[in-house]
Amino acid sequence: MSETPQLDELEKGPWPSFVTEMKRAAEKKDSAKDLINQLERSYEDRVGHWKHGGIVGVKGYGGGVIGRYSDLPAEFPAVSEFHTLRVNQPSGWFYTTDILRQLCEVWDKHGSGLTNMHGATGDIILLGAPTSALQPAFDDLAEIGFDLGGSGSDMRTPSCCVGPGRCEYACIDTLDFLYDITMQYQNELHRPMFPYKSKIKVSGCPNDCVAAVPRSDIAILGTWRDNIQVDQAAVAQYAAEGMDISGEVVALCPTKCMVYDAAARTLTIDDKECNRCMHCLNLMSKALRIGKERGATILVGGKAPIVHGAMLSHVIVPFMKLEPPYTEFKELLEKIWDWWDENGKMRERLGELINRLGMRNFLKAVDLEPLPQMIKVPRANPYYFWDQEEVK
């Protein structure tokens, strides 16, 4: 391996470095060694020496493999072909140590040994294999129970938070829901057929630990529609232990829906004004609990800034019961996809199409009634025009 002074700089400081892990892999794999040398060259030239793309994959699948080639193959032959496999992760990213060992053994056998746990979409990312190794790697992954995820213009691999597996705030069973959606829509996941990518992310509560709102075309957030449960004895205990409930909790409520009586050490919540921001529940988890009537809020239109700027998703269904077999959600999802597939331009995300054709057209197409919770920017436009057929 050549000298790598610029990469060595990234190993300095208190935090673990990916460079250290690459060097460990390079002791066993020529591809990891050439990857380090090419990356050092990229820092020197200030150019990424990769050619992205190419038609590579495994039998029967249109997605799941990202083709990547070095533009300096003569200089770095071990990474002349350095394709990435996206592998569908288990719901909530729960693994046993045994299955992780099996996964790493497959990748040590066929690829560079380098992994990314996990990619932005949620997949297990296996970094770097030649074209000849793709099918054998896929076959061995299938033997231990893994499948490829999504890439290209398809439903990208859905992901969810740990939900009821570890979190007391979970309003829905994110793990079961994600598994069900993934299994039902295998065709949409593995065979690109859409104008562009379609991401589904699921958070069990409004804390949105998987950042579904800014990062997915269709976001599902667990919520409740009755009152927050208040344990006044626990409220008094927080006060006795020194918490400034008025300053730390009530004053920071965005809708000002809370009142604290310092003399009685009681907290009152006007639940009609609560917007489920989770601030009070996060600070006073022993005193405040989510409501008992639980379901999900469905949002659409989030994305990162690629073709157009970044967009946050916004509400289209304020509350939906999300229980097996999830028929109501699936019917809505398929209507959304049909409308987007019929009207979307190449590389146009769902939120961009809604902006172009209008929320009114979108709601009509998916059979939803306009609701106050759908307002994306409150009070930005004081005018609303009714269609003639809507006027009685």
Side-chain angles (χ1 to χ4, degrees), residues 119-163:
T121 300
D123 310 78
I124 304 160
I125 303 298
L126 303 182
L127 290 159
T131 304
S132 60
L134 295 177
Q135 188 66 44
F138 171 73
D139 293 341
D140 284 355
L141 287 169
E143 285 293 320
I144 62 171
F146 283 96
D147 198 357
L148 295 187
S151 69
S153 297
D154 57 11
M155 179 181 87
R156 295 297 178 87
T157 315
S159 62
C160 70
C161 69
V162 297

Side-chain angles (χ1 to χ4, degrees), residues 68-118:
R68 188 168 285 114
Y69 303 86
S70 170
D71 68 4
L72 300 171
E75 193 169 345
F76 306 110
V79 293
S80 59
E81 298 173 347
F82 201 74
H83 310 311
T84 292
L85 272 70
R86 285 183 176 164
V87 179
N88 200 330
Q89 79 285 355
S91 294
W93 301 285
F94 283 100
Y95 301 91
T96 64
T97 53
D98 179 61
I99 200 66
L100 284 174
R101 288 190 182 95
Q102 292 181 51
L103 187 67
C104 290
E105 286 169 1
V106 169
W107 197 233
D108 277 338
K109 177 181 177 182
H110 297 289
S112 69
L114 296 169
T115 67
N116 179 1
M117 304 287 281
H118 296 82

